[in-house]
Amino acid sequence: EDQVTQSPEALRLQEGESSSLNCSYTVSGLRGLFWYRQDPGKGPEFLFTLYSAGEEKEKERLKATLTKKESFLHITAPKPEDSATYLCAVQPRGGGSNYKLTFGKGTLLTVNP
Amino acid sequence: EAQVTQNPRYLITVTGKKLTVTCSQNMNHEYMSWYRQDPGLGLRQIYYSMNVEVTDKGDVPEGYKVSRKEKRNFPLILESPSPNQTSLYFCASSLSRSAGVPGANVLTFGAGSRLTVL
């Protein structure tokens, strides 16, 4: 069974204080690992897809990396508007016709001014 | 604007009163799916559809029904709602399941429907 574990559950940072969120996964062959951002009262919003170990992607203050067992979302010099819940999800290779993503429970990031 | 639209956004109902949550996408996506989100449990898939008239169960299908008669619409039906179906529901869609086309397998989510069953 595919599993995704995110840590920490919650993280509080001061503006400008860089940090990383972790996503550990077990999956029977990885087709893709996804990062989403979810603001309160809204649906998840796509950030990145990573397909293979060693791959990295960047967007503004965010950088996602992938190894064979985990992914990191690095946040450099965060701003209060980066406050949100960050979700990690994996899609296994194969899996029949289902495009199912298995989600972690998320990391609630709060950035104080 | 490309989007997934869910209605209603908020609903309070009573046990046993049938209800339907509608979902519509304007991106000509083949794949659509319903998730529920509960505190401490994360997002869990209820049902999914690969295309018109093709639907199948996800991880937590009990108490729900779906249909896909048109490509753009994927309603979620609760025939006899119970309090344990109180949750935040999300509809999502993607172009296809193919990872070969960049972006084709990225899910776009609706804004969510918060359902309370008394």
Side-chain angles (χ1 to χ4, degrees), chain B residues 23-82:
Chain B
C23 173
S24 181
Q25 49 90 6
N26 62 359
M27 297 167 280
N28 200 35
H29 283 176
E30 290 183 350
Y31 181 91
M32 298 186 74
S33 181
W34 277 102
Y35 286 83
R36 60 178 288 174
Q37 187 174 41
D38 301 289
L41 295 177
L43 280 159
R44 294 178 293 167
Q45 190 185 50
I46 303 171
Y47 269 94
Y48 67 94
S49 169
M50 288 301 299
N51 214 323
V52 176
E53 301 292 1
V54 181
T55 63
D56 207 345
K57 298 175 181 179
D59 293 324
V60 288
E62 295 78 20
Y64 304 95
K65 289 175 64 175
V66 293
S67 67
R68 187 97 180 268
K69 296 188 172 115
E70 303 168 283
K71 196 171 186 179
R72 63 170 32 231
N73 295 323
F74 190 44
L76 179 69
I77 302 158
L78 285 73
E79 292 273 1
S80 183
S82 62

Side-chain angles (χ1 to χ4, degrees), chain B residues 2-23:
Chain B
Q3 60 186 358
V4 176
T5 303
Q6 299 179 223
N7 281 296
R9 293 289 315 281
Y10 303 91
L11 179 63
I12 300 175
T13 190
V14 295
T15 299
K17 185 176 181 181
K18 181 180 178 179
L19 68 91
T20 299
V21 185
T22 64
C23 173

Side-chain angles (χ1 to χ4, degrees), chain A residues 31 34 36 38 41-46 49 51 87 91 94 96-105, chain B residues 9 31 35 37 40-43 45 48 50 59 88 90 94 96-97 99 103 105-107 109-111:
Chain A
R31 173 175 285 181
F34 300 78
Y36 283 83
Q38 186 174 20
K42 295 188 176 181
E45 181 181 329
F46 171 74
T49 310
Y51 292 106
L87 301 172
Q91 186 197 13
S97 62
N98 192 2
Y99 187 73
K100 175 187 166 184
L101 296 184
T102 297
F103 282 86
K105 295 177 183 178
Chain B
R9 293 289 315 281
Y31 181 91
Y35 286 83
Q37 187 174 41
L41 295 177
L43 280 159
Q45 190 185 50
Y48 67 94
M50 288 301 299
D59 293 324
L88 180 58
F90 289 102
S94 70
S96 75
R97 67 184 178 98
N105 58 357
V106 171
L107 283 176
F109 284 82

Side-chain angles (χ1 to χ4, degrees), chain A residues 45-88:
Chain A
E45 181 181 329
F46 171 74
L47 291 173
F48 304 108
T49 310
L50 301 167
Y51 292 106
S52 57
E55 189 175 359
E56 299 182 352
K57 288 195 177 170
E58 288 188 69
K59 179 180 179 181
E60 297 181 352
R61 295 176 292 282
L62 300 177
K63 179 180 177 180
T65 62
L66 180 66
T67 72
K68 289 187 177 180
K69 293 185 178 180
E70 59 190 349
S71 176
F72 291 94
L73 185 65
H74 306 278
I75 304 176
T76 302
K79 298 181 178 181
E81 52 263 42
D82 294 322
S83 297
T85 296
Y86 290 86
L87 301 172
C88 173

